[in-house]
Amino acid sequence: MCCPTPSRLLFYLGITMEHFDSAMLSRIQFAFTVSFHIIFPTITIGLATLIAIWEALWLKTNDPRYLQLAKFWIKPFAITFGMGVVGGIVMSYEFGTNFSKFSEIAGPVLGPLLAYEVLTAFFLEAGFLGVMLFGWQRVGRKVHFLSTLVVAIGTWISSTWIMAANSWMQTPQGYKIVDGVFHVDSWMQVIFNPSFPIRLTHMLLASLITASLLVAGVSAFYLLKKKHMNFSKKGLSMTMWMLLVLTILQVKIGDQSGLEVKEHQPAKLAAIEGIWEAQESEVPLLLFAMPNMQTEENDYQLGIPHLGSLILTHTLDGSVTGLKAFPKEDRPYVPLVFWSFRVMVGLGMGMVAIALAALLLRRKGRLYENKWFLRAVTFFTPMGVVATIAGWYVAETGRQPWVIYNLIRTSDVVSPLPAERVLFSLTMFVVIYFLLSLVYLYFMRKLIRKGPPKMATLEKHLIGMNAPGYALAWVKNLKHEDHEGEK
């Protein structure tokens, strides 16, 4: 069969121009802003954790390479943190401007959770961020490490509250409805809803993997250019060990997440797997398909028999509910969910492959020399971000048409705004965020091109801190090695 044309692709998506009313435009606008925003918290959570680890190792070992890693990556962290704040503020306003009815209906439940995020996490991060960024020469090593650790813990707490709120929308419990408004019946059930523990773990692992890929990619780039050799070797080696553990854990957590979705959101699972008819046994794993929303079947389908049952039910003859078991108005946009999931999983498998390749090359003593491997790691630098966005598309689009699963439809809580105004604000967001992205990439590129602080700079830093003599000798030795390696 020939490849589908662009118009045919729109047909598969089930989208025509009549769909672009105020409700659809509001959803697109929120999807765009959250896609932009999620990039930056994902990176900051991971980078803050890595910087705290590097500082702890520096305190323990006095190895100046750990200090070099921390001082270099703290600047990209600061820029990314600022971008995350800008994107997050916009989203909070959109709840009131584009989804005002949702705020009225779910405010008593979600409002306190978001307030806790600001009070216990954001203020915690902001309070110690100044010491973390500018306190290197003003406070002692232990005080600076404590500040960095508090900022890292703050990012974890922040993600906990956000994931609690979002997971409640996916698997709501612990509520009561009074006069059409949700009220809390049990905070423990609201926070620790069925999907919360797995989704929080999945997101935190994704953040650590994303940051590790970023550090590994920059380190591999330097090694290809034969620059900052000791700095790059330490960064690449450490992140490869982390990726080996984190990616395997993520595969396990992803499997548990699939079982949770099968139990609580069967329509989402059917969309993920592209299953239209109920499969009583021998469910195939579809590698490729073009889900057709109109004909309710898959075109160009290619799958592996039985493997779907094994993955989804952990048996070779397990059953899975099909999309046709749900009314058409209760089904998500299958093609977007289907392909977003495969992008996420495909990139995840690539990350596992890179971590295993690093283990093999390490044993052969060629981890820092194999150019094909270093190029692959450099290529994967942004792939943690891409996989995270794809995963959020699966989670959020797969929940549709419900804003609170099986209780409140998204279309019922959209503000009654003229479509032209929503289209105007969406256009402005696209333009402004595009310009912000260029500025962000410009400064990130500038920092990477500048490279880490020189060993001579660190030597002065350590002298000012009355560092032990062996630490200063270590710096001098590394300074000599870097000079010889770059020659």
Side-chain angles (χ1 to χ4, degrees):
M1 295 183 182
C2 63
C3 295
T5 62
S7 59
R8 188 70 174 171
L9 287 175
L10 288 176
F11 173 75
Y12 287 131
L13 290 172
I15 296 175
T16 60
M17 290 307 297
E18 66 183 15
H19 288 92
F20 290 97
D21 55 8
S22 178
M24 178 57 70
L25 289 170
S26 292
R27 289 176 57 187
I28 292 173
Q29 177 176 299
F30 194 83
F32 175 76
T33 52
V34 75
S35 298
F36 178 84
H37 170 70
I38 196 175
I39 295 172
F40 306 105
T42 302
I43 296 174
T44 54
I45 293 169
L47 275 185
T49 305
L50 287 175
I51 294 169
I53 292 173
W54 289 325
E55 280 204 57
L57 291 172
W58 175 50
L59 284 173
K60 182 175 179 60
T61 67
N62 280 303
D63 186 338
R65 290 172 295 182
Y66 293 124
L67 175 61
Q68 195 179 27
L69 282 164
K71 287 180 73 69
F72 173 74
W73 284 104
I74 205 169
K75 293 180 180 179
F77 166 81
I79 297 172
T80 308
F81 183 89
M83 291 290 290
V85 172
V86 171
I89 291 175
V90 170
M91 290 170 53
S92 63
Y93 281 108
E94 284 182 315
F95 281 121
T97 56
N98 295 75
F99 302 96
S100 56
K101 294 181 181 179
F102 176 63
S103 300
E104 296 176 7
I105 294 173
V109 176
L110 297 181
L113 294 178
L114 298 179
Y116 297 154
E117 188 269 336
V118 173
L119 293 173
T120 65
F122 183 75
F123 285 165
L124 187 67
E125 297 169 53
F128 287 85
L129 186 63
V131 179
M132 177 185 177
L133 297 179
F134 308 110
W136 289 105
Q137 305 292 339
R138 296 173 174 83
V139 298
R141 296 199 305 173
K142 293 182 180 180
V143 174
H144 191 277
F145 166 67
L146 178 63
S147 300
T148 303
L149 184 62
V150 170
V151 171
I153 293 173
T155 63
W156 284 56
I157 296 174
S158 178
S159 63
T160 298
W161 289 119
I162 295 297
M163 292 305 299
N166 184 267
S167 296
W168 181 81
M169 294 163 62
Q170 302 276 352
T171 52
Q173 68 172 22
Y175 64 89
K176 58 184 177 182
I177 301 177
V178 180
D179 297 328
V181 177
F182 287 83
H183 293 272
V184 175
D185 193 43
S186 169
W187 275 116
M188 289 296 294
Q189 291 185 17
V190 167
I191 296 171
F192 296 98
N193 57 80
S195 64
F196 168 70
I198 294 175
R199 298 184 76 242
L200 174 63
T201 306
H202 196 57
M203 185 63 203
L204 291 176
L205 286 174
S207 298
L208 291 173
I209 290 171
T210 299
S212 296
L213 284 171
L214 178 60
V215 174
V218 173
S219 300
F221 172 77
Y222 285 150
L223 289 172
L224 285 169
K225 299 294 184 181
K226 297 190 180 301
K227 294 181 178 180
H228 319 299
M229 300 299 287
N230 283 296
F231 169 85
S232 304
K233 288 179 179 180
K234 178 60 71 174
L236 182 65
S237 176
M238 185 175 178
T239 50
M240 285 299 111
W241 281 122
M242 293 187 68
L243 285 172
L244 183 63
V245 176
L246 294 171
T247 54
I248 294 175
L249 281 176
Q250 190 71 303
V251 171
K252 177 62 177 177
I253 294 298
D255 176 65
Q256 294 299 311
S257 180
L259 296 177
E260 180 272 318
V261 170
K262 181 178 183 295
E263 179 179 356
H264 297 283
Q265 296 177 304
K268 179 191 289 187
L269 181 69
I272 288 172
E273 299 301 328
I275 298 174
W276 296 93
E277 302 286 350
Q279 303 282 335
E280 297 298 332
S281 62
E282 303 178 3
V283 181
L285 177 66
L286 298 184
L287 302 177
F288 177 87
M290 296 297 293
N292 191 319
M293 297 285 288
Q294 278 65 42
T295 62
E296 298 183 329
E297 62 183 12
N298 295 326
D299 300 332
Y300 316 104
Q301 179 173 303
L302 175 65
I304 302 175
H306 302 285
L307 191 55
S309 290
L310 183 61
I311 293 175
L312 298 174
T313 68
H314 291 185
T315 63
L316 288 174
D317 57 354
S319 62
V320 177
T321 304
L323 284 161
K324 289 185 178 180
F326 307 94
K328 288 186 177 182
E329 63 272 16
D330 292 347
R331 302 172 191 169
Y333 285 110
V334 181
L336 183 56
V337 179
F338 181 88
W339 281 109
S340 295
F341 180 78
R342 275 144 188 80
V343 169
M344 177 186 69
V345 172
L347 291 175
M349 292 299 101
M351 297 169 196
V352 173
I354 284 178
L356 294 175
L359 181 62
L360 179 63
L361 290 171
R362 193 189 300 272
R363 291 182 175 179
K364 293 183 177 181
R366 295 185 56 81
L367 180 64
Y368 313 117
E369 302 171 6
N370 189 294
K371 291 187 177 181
W372 286 104
F373 170 75
L374 295 177
R375 291 191 185 104
V377 174
T378 304
F379 174 77
F380 262 78
T381 302
M383 294 306 166
V385 171
V386 176
T388 300
I389 293 175
W392 270 93
Y393 283 174
V394 173
E396 300 307 301
T397 308
R399 186 185 69 225
Q400 298 301 322
W402 309 99
V403 65
I404 302 177
Y405 194 71
N406 277 342
L407 295 172
I408 302 295
R409 293 180 181 273
T410 306
S411 58
D412 294 335
V413 298
V414 177
S415 301
L417 298 172
E420 294 79 8
R421 293 185 182 180
V422 182
L423 180 60
F424 175 77
S425 62
L426 171 59
T427 304
M428 293 302 297
F429 276 126
V430 171
V431 172
I432 294 172
Y433 280 11
F434 175 74
L435 295 176
L436 285 174
S437 298
L438 292 180
V439 173
Y440 174 75
L441 292 174
Y442 168 78
F443 281 106
M444 289 290 282
R445 180 176 179 270
K446 187 175 182 179
L447 289 173
I448 292 171
R449 287 176 64 88
K450 181 180 178 182
K454 301 293 184 181
M455 281 296 169
T457 304
L458 294 183
E459 187 176 17
K460 295 178 181 178
H461 179 82
L462 293 177
I463 291 173
M465 299 180 68
N466 296 319
Y470 71 88
L472 294 173
W474 205 338
V475 170
K476 292 179 180 179
N477 184 50
L478 290 173
K479 182 168 60 174
H480 176 71
E481 288 181 10
D482 275 343
H483 178 69
E484 292 298 320
E486 291 180 12
K487 286 199 302 183

